[in-house]
Amino acid sequence: MVEKINASDAMLKVMEAWGIDHIFGLPGGSFDSTMNALHNRQKTMRYIQVRHEEVGTLAAAGEAKVTGKIAAAFGSAGPGAVHLLNGLYDAKYDNVPMLALVGQVATNMMNTDYFQEMNENPMFADVAVYNRTVMTAAQMPAVVDQAIQQAYKHNGVAVVTIPTDLGWQAIDDNFEPTANLFQQGHYPLPRTTDITDALKLIKAAKHPIIYFGQGAKAAGQQIGALSEKLKMPMMSSALAKGIIADQNPAYMVSAGRVATKPGVDLAKTADLILFIGSNYEFGAYFFKPDAKFIQIDIDATKIGHRHHVDVGILADAKTALQALLDASQMVETPTDFYQAAMANKANWEDWKAGFTESDQVPMRVEPVFKAINEMANDDAIFNLDVGNVSIDGVRFLDMHPGQKMTLSAWYATMGCAVPAAIGTQTAFPDRQVWSISGDGGFTMVMQDIITQAKYQMPIINVVLSNDSFGFIEAEQDDKGQPHSGVAIQGADYGAVATALGAQGFTVHNLTELKTAFAAAKIAKGPVVIDVKIANERPLPVEQLVIDPETQDPQAVEAFIKKYHAQGLIPFRAILEQYEA
């Protein structure tokens, strides 16, 4: 005789079979049957109570970004469901798998304009790769099993809406999840002709570079080896920071606005780009229009999606790069361009280092990131918020393989760092986890410092407070418009954090900074360090005015003075020095 089980309990068993052992959310009456199942299965499925459903989905998105595995969150009917959307879109845009369970009123109350009832499916139609409402109790485990399959298949969001009465109903406990049968990662091998054609283009190029994205996260060793073998400088998308150590002299980090000077310079100068595992959307603004492209991707629809491609290689990044390594000949002598690129990187590093001991008040950000780098463990996970903090994090975090970073990249939603830290700390309780936010992003989600305190998560939350939406303020400056709506009312976020149950510090100078970080190093629970920084725009590397030979000397003088850019050498001058 087949044993019986409540449908919600059966559903959780399916999630557990797929490796999901916790879920983020906020309870509501329409979700009571699943809350009961979470209580029943608390030994195998941990419930993490957040204080806003958006935080739950942003936490799950952050978790999925660092694990590569599906994460789960839920919301109740009506307002709870609506609150889920921001984090779901973050997962969608950054292509990570997520399961969202959504409460619904009981089936006999549906379509009657009942309290909190709404037609939820249309709301999730755009964000989800799978979006279904359970119709019978018996099908609940099967629907969730299929939802997880689709989330993995498409690296996207699966939404399952559950009328609350169905979860209470007893069904046969005989459903077999497909988790042990599901397979992915079987990609075509690169064609020999494509490898040969790619190497011919690389050999003929004067200024060849390697550009890689998150799709190359398993190929860091091959990227570094190919760069050294063929003497090709490297750069990446901002999200791919950490695949190659920042200290590698041939790695220039990224181009764009969330970028470094050597990255922007390299992109503008390259005449050939080996483009690996990325879908970088701003290439038209930063790559030379006539540069040749070799693109490696596992998705045929991505090859040629953003720009002309001379050779397309449909294959896994690691496999394709190994084929290039095996088929190529060592370039014994570093090329003039390779040396010039490394000299440009060295100049940039020297310029940055000049500010790490600055005693300016309000503070510069470089001493803050120096303190973070010195305290960061080898397996630290950094969660960056959106805005100027993204620029600063990409420039000043000194990362290496073994460490990880999350960022809301394509969707760019403010307030992502604190929730992502909750998600990554839950997934990796034994690793050091940081959230780094501006005051704009932090104040959108700071109530969930309570969540960190409740579960005694030893997260180090750094808030860079400048009393401004600085990223938008800079955009208004670029458009020549008056500042409008960008000033933020300041507060003592260290005191706020203390009131919420964390250990809080408010920092105004170097001495206070060192005291706060010393305390954070030995803290057992969450810490919030509110650093009062100057409202100064990060150096706009995407629009540098530092070359008096090719730009207006008066404009150069004004730019250098405003951005403290003394000592930065135009890449043009370095290229000429090396006759590259």
Side-chain angles (χ1 to χ4, degrees):
M1 183 176 178
V2 178
E3 293 187 4
K4 296 289 186 178
I5 187 173
N6 280 358
S8 283
D9 293 71
M11 173 185 69
L12 294 187
K13 286 181 65 177
V14 172
M15 294 167 60
E16 292 163 10
W18 283 91
I20 300 172
D21 61 6
H22 60 270
I23 187 167
F24 305 95
L26 195 64
S30 60
F31 207 73
D32 277 349
S33 56
T34 304
M35 294 308 301
N36 184 72
L38 286 169
H39 175 79
N40 293 340
R41 302 194 63 79
Q42 57 188 288
K43 292 182 179 179
T44 50
M45 178 67 71
R46 186 182 181 201
Y47 163 52
I48 308 296
Q49 179 198 74
V50 293
R51 304 307 288 268
H52 195 294
E53 292 90 351
E54 175 184 357
V55 169
T57 49
L58 286 171
E63 176 187 345
K65 289 174 188 180
V66 297
T67 64
K69 299 177 181 178
I70 194 166
F74 69 82
S76 56
V82 173
H83 284 166
L84 295 172
L85 279 170
N86 212 37
L88 299 185
Y89 270 103
D90 182 47
K92 172 186 175 173
Y93 275 66
D94 283 350
N95 299 298
V96 293
M98 188 192 298
L99 173 66
L101 303 180
V102 182
Q104 181 56 284
V105 301
T107 52
N108 65 326
M109 296 298 178
M110 291 175 65
N111 305 318
T112 66
D113 297 325
Y114 191 69
F115 175 70
Q116 289 193 326
E117 183 212 350
M118 62 182 292
N119 184 7
E120 293 168 346
N121 290 87
M123 180 171 64
F124 298 109
D126 179 63
V127 75
V129 298
Y130 183 90
N131 177 28
R132 303 291 173 86
T133 296
V134 176
M135 301 305 291
T136 68
Q139 70 178 209
M140 190 179 295
V143 170
V144 169
D145 190 63
Q146 187 175 21
I148 297 172
Q149 286 181 354
Q150 294 300 311
Y152 269 125
K153 178 181 178 181
H154 299 286
N155 284 318
V157 173
V159 176
V160 177
T161 300
I162 306 166
T164 187
D165 59 316
L166 299 183
W168 292 110
Q169 295 180 23
I171 63 174
D172 289 343
D173 188 14
N174 59 1
F175 181 77
E176 295 184 7
T178 61
N180 64 328
L181 303 173
F182 186 77
Q183 300 181 50
Q184 58 183 164
H186 299 283
Y187 307 117
L189 295 174
R191 296 184 303 194
T192 303
T193 54
D194 292 336
I195 297 298
T196 301
D197 291 345
L199 289 173
K200 287 179 180 178
L201 286 179
I202 292 171
K203 186 175 182 179
K206 185 178 180 182
H207 297 158
I209 71 168
I210 295 171
Y211 184 102
F212 58 92
Q214 281 200 109
K217 61 187 174 184
Q221 182 178 350
Q222 286 75 18
I223 292 170
L226 191 66
S227 168
E228 185 175 356
K229 186 174 185 179
L230 300 185
K231 304 302 184 286
M232 296 173 68
M234 300 167 285
M235 61 181 299
S236 72
S237 66
L239 275 179
K241 178 181 168 74
I243 293 175
I244 296 293
D246 284 311
Q247 289 298 317
N248 188 314
Y251 175 49
M252 312 295 148
V253 193
S254 60
R257 187 173 172 188
V258 180
T260 67
K261 175 185 179 292
V264 171
D265 288 339
L266 197 69
K268 289 181 177 179
T269 311
D271 63 359
L272 179 136
I273 301 163
L274 176 57
F275 197 73
I276 312 161
S278 178
N279 195 27
Y280 182 56
E281 68 196 74
F282 301 117
Y285 300 101
F286 294 99
F287 295 133
K288 286 179 63 176
D290 59 349
K292 294 188 179 299
F293 270 84
I294 303 164
Q295 186 171 359
I296 300 172
D297 209 289
I298 59 172
D299 185 347
T301 66
K302 296 292 192 300
I303 297 177
H305 177 56
R306 300 289 188 190
H307 38 65
H308 168 78
V309 169
D310 298 274
V311 177
I313 302 176
L314 183 64
D316 166 67
K318 186 174 183 178
T319 303
L321 288 167
Q322 189 61 53
L324 289 169
L325 279 166
D326 294 341
S328 59
Q329 298 295 318
M330 171 75 78
V331 176
E332 298 291 347
T333 304
T335 65
D336 296 334
F337 176 65
Y338 187 69
Q339 294 183 81
M342 290 196 294
N344 193 34
K345 167 79 176 286
N347 173 243
W348 170 253
E349 293 297 325
D350 288 344
W351 178 78
K352 290 194 303 177
F355 300 105
T356 56
E357 296 294 334
S358 172
D359 58 2
Q360 172 185 308
V361 176
M363 295 187 68
R364 289 184 64 93
V365 298
E366 290 90 346
V368 184
F369 281 93
K370 179 187 178 186
I372 293 172
N373 289 329
E374 289 178 347
M375 184 174 158
N377 291 344
D378 287 342
D379 63 352
I381 303 172
F382 304 103
N383 301 278
L384 294 181
D385 217 310
V386 169
N388 284 346
V389 67
S390 298
I391 300 175
D392 295 331
V394 166
R395 290 181 186 174
F396 303 127
L397 282 176
D398 186 12
M399 291 182 63
H400 55 76
Q403 296 176 330
K404 293 180 181 291
M405 183 185 79
T406 74
L407 178 68
S408 180
W410 295 135
Y411 191 52
T413 182
M414 289 176 60
C416 61
V418 168
I422 292 171
T424 54
Q425 181 70 70
T426 303
F428 297 106
D430 297 324
R431 293 177 68 166
Q432 185 190 62
V433 173
W434 300 74
S435 82
I436 308 174
S437 309
D439 45 355
F442 181 73
T443 51
M444 295 177 76
V445 293
M446 65 183 180
Q447 79 284 334
D448 268 86
I449 294 298
I450 294 176
T451 302
Q452 297 183 12
K454 176 173 182 173
Y455 298 105
Q456 279 300 287
M457 297 178 173
I459 296 168
I460 308 157
N461 304 276
V462 178
V463 186
L464 302 176
S465 302
N466 64 346
D467 297 342
S468 172
F469 293 117
F471 196 88
I472 305 304
E473 182 177 313
E475 289 182 348
Q476 293 181 356
D477 287 339
D478 288 345
K479 295 172 184 174
Q481 68 183 85
H483 292 167
S484 177
V486 293
I488 297 176
Q489 177 65 43
D492 185 340
Y493 301 117
V496 170
T498 299
L500 294 175
Q503 192 171 353
F505 299 89
T506 301
V507 169
H508 302 88
N509 54 52
L510 271 177
T511 300
E512 293 176 353
L513 182 75
K514 293 175 182 177
T515 298
F517 271 79
K521 194 169 186 177
I522 59 174
K524 300 302 182 183
V527 174
V528 174
I529 303 174
D530 175 20
V531 185
K532 303 304 183 183
I533 63 168
N535 185 25
E536 296 178 350
R537 179 179 182 174
L539 177 75
V541 295
E542 76 280 11
Q543 44 182 305
L544 286 177
V545 186
I546 62 170
D547 191 347
E549 291 194 21
T550 62
Q551 297 169 311
D552 176 35
Q554 289 185 331
V556 169
E557 183 179 358
F559 184 96
I560 290 174
K561 181 179 180 181
K562 179 177 180 179
Y563 294 107
H564 311 285
Q566 297 86 353
L568 282 178
I569 303 172
F571 194 35
R572 174 204 55 79
I574 296 175
L575 288 169
E576 290 180 0
Q577 176 187 345
Y578 283 88
E579 298 181 349

